[in-house]
Amino acid sequence: MKDLFKRLEDKAIANKQRIILPESTEPRTMQAADKILANGVADIILIGDATEIAAKAAELGLQNIGKARIVDPNDEQANEKYAQTFYELRKKKGVTLEDARKKIKDPLYLGCLLIKHGEADGQVAGAQNTTGNVLRAAFQVLKTAPGVSAVSGAFIMLMPEGSPYGENGIMVFADCAVIPDPDAKQLAQIAVSTNETAKTLAGISPHIAMLSFSTKGSASHEKVDKVVEATKLAKEMCPELDIDGEMQADAAIVPSVAATKAPGSQVAGKANVLVFPDLGVGNIAYKLVQRIAGATAVGPVLQGLAAPVNDLSRGCSPEDIYKTILLTCNQAIARH
Ligand code: ACO
């Protein structure tokens, strides 16, 4: 785990990105920002009132917050251009210019608009806001990357020392955070996006298993058909993927089970990227592996947005926020 974050930190320092923290007076966020600035990892943009931010920094004894750029959501004159952009983006949805001017006072939206205007490279939020609010601002303003149909959320799973699973103990699971009930096309998109996350962030060579309760036709059900169809679509979208399915989790990761249930599969028995058939399965699976197997779950990393925005758990620590900023910087670097 140390190696993963050291690699991400070194890369971020060498290619400094501009990261927005909309929850600017939230203490854990400020502590993480202070450390990011002290280590020269990224340029930080805080959205809030300069006097309040300075007072909070003094109260927390933070020395480096003064290096951050501050954008005031109540500076109506300076922010009119962002209101105009939001209005243009959303007028078809019935948003008026007056609505847009109100909306951009929400730091989550203003942050995404700064990215849209090329003034920042990524955003990290969620220590105070819900997942839905963080995601909705990103969906409405930034939207998906070119060629991507749906945003999803992956976890980089770091297995405990000595575990035989994954590449050097690293696996990637998706979607564990965003799309409650993906159709075959969305599931294919999840596989393609997770392939990219596995390569650029987790630093592994992806072998992708499309998971189901069936292996190679052992059961018939429309839920199995969906996974079979998604596997086919993913191969069409990205022929170089090393992907196979449908298969059960044991066939995906245990060589002896793979030999019996999926002989001849290039992926079965050595999968290090697991794509789950829906969010219920993905979310439960990552939490069980984390708790029962003692794995460290890094994420969720939001994949497929036009620019990186990542969501924090409201129970996060300053260290979690620091690491999420590292992931966001590296996603931004991979985009350029
Ligand atoms: N990818 C891209 N765009 C999307 C996606 C997606 N996956 N989902 C919604 N959108 C877009 C819609 O197209 C829509 O765009 P438009 O307004 O321009 O037409 C916009 O986002 C809003 O869409 P809604 O359907 O109104 O979005 P809604 O508010 O219903 O929900 C949300 C979106 C919040 C992501 C929802 O899917 C959700 O709640 N997902 C589960 C999140 C969650 O609770 N995860 C578990 C916790 S996280 C964890 O445990 C790690």
Side-chain angles (χ1 to χ4, degrees):
M1 175 157 99
K2 240 187 186 166
D3 287 353
L4 174 73
F5 284 105
K6 180 80 181 79
R7 179 173 58 75
L8 295 176
E9 189 179 58
D10 288 347
K11 201 157 176 191
I13 290 169
N15 306 266
K16 250 176 155 187
Q17 302 295 301
R18 299 157 299 170
I19 302 299
I20 300 176
L21 301 174
E23 295 161 331
S24 60
T25 53
E26 194 287 313
R28 295 160 297 166
T29 303
M30 291 190 85
Q31 283 160 350
D34 194 71
K35 189 170 159 193
I36 289 282
L37 291 165
N39 292 352
V41 170
D43 292 328
I44 293 293
I45 302 171
L46 298 170
I47 301 197
D49 177 80
T51 314
E52 276 175 36
I53 292 170
K56 196 79 194 174
E59 187 187 316
L60 295 167
L62 304 175
Q63 306 290 322
N64 298 285
I65 291 292
K67 295 182 201 161
R69 175 184 166 198
I70 296 176
V71 174
D72 184 351
N74 290 314
D75 186 341
E76 289 175 7
Q77 212 181 340
N79 295 341
E80 178 61 19
K81 59 182 189 245
Y82 307 120
Q84 292 285 346
T85 300
F86 189 70
Y87 167 65
E88 287 303 327
L89 285 168
R90 303 297 295 171
K91 64 184 177 194
K92 276 200 198 118
K93 297 274 167 182
V95 171
T96 64
L97 188 52
E98 238 2 82
D99 296 334
R101 288 185 179 124
K102 279 188 204 137
K103 200 68 176 177
I104 62 152
K105 295 195 186 224
D106 178 340
L108 293 174
Y109 281 82
L110 184 54
C112 290
L113 283 154
L114 282 159
I115 298 174
K116 192 88 181 169
H117 277 243
E119 294 177 51
D121 303 297
Q123 170 157 295
V124 172
Q128 286 172 319
N129 285 282
T130 62
T131 300
N133 287 344
V134 173
L135 292 183
R136 235 173 264 115
F139 290 164
Q140 290 184 12
V141 175
L142 297 171
K143 305 185 189 292
T144 50
V148 174
S149 56
V151 173
S152 54
F155 276 89
I156 302 172
M157 302 296 292
L158 308 171
M159 299 301 151
E161 198 68 34
S163 165
Y165 303 112
E167 182 178 319
N168 297 323
I170 300 179
M171 300 186 80
V172 183
F173 289 8
D175 172 21
C176 305
V178 183
I179 309 174
D181 194 12
D183 60 21
K185 191 169 163 239
Q186 289 172 317
L187 199 53
Q189 179 65 67
I190 292 167
V192 172
S193 297
T194 312
N195 184 61
E196 202 52 36
T197 298
K199 284 194 291 189
T200 57
L201 290 189
I204 62 174
S205 302
H207 307 295
I208 309 169
M210 301 294 278
L211 296 185
S212 173
F213 56 84
S214 164
T215 304
K216 300 288 176 183
S218 64
S220 346
H221 192 277
E222 63 191 39
K223 292 191 176 190
V224 177
D225 298 341
K226 179 180 88 168
V227 178
V228 172
E229 174 69 7
T231 309
K232 186 174 141 259
L233 291 173
K235 278 186 200 152
E236 285 170 15
M237 285 164 71
C238 192
E240 67 272 21
L241 288 187
D242 187 24
I243 186 170
D244 201 7
E246 92 295 7
M247 68 180 77
Q248 289 158 288
D250 55 355
I253 61 171
V254 182
S256 60
V257 178
T260 315
K261 292 189 177 181
S265 169
Q266 292 296 311
V267 170
K270 61 170 188 183
N272 51 24
V273 173
L274 304 184
V275 174
F276 300 100
D278 66 46
L279 180 56
V281 181
N283 191 269
I284 292 167
Y286 103 79
K287 285 178 192 288
L288 288 181
V289 173
Q290 182 186 28
R291 298 291 167 176
I292 297 177
T296 302
V298 178
V301 177
L302 290 180
Q303 40 185 28
L305 280 166
V309 170
N310 281 306
D311 177 40
L312 301 161
S313 154
R314 275 173 288 168
C316 65
S317 65
E319 193 55 24
D320 295 332
I321 303 175
Y322 186 87
K323 287 176 177 166
T324 305
I325 295 172
L326 293 182
L327 291 165
T328 309
C329 289
N330 277 267
Q331 283 179 295
I333 293 164
R335 256 187 85 222
H336 296 317

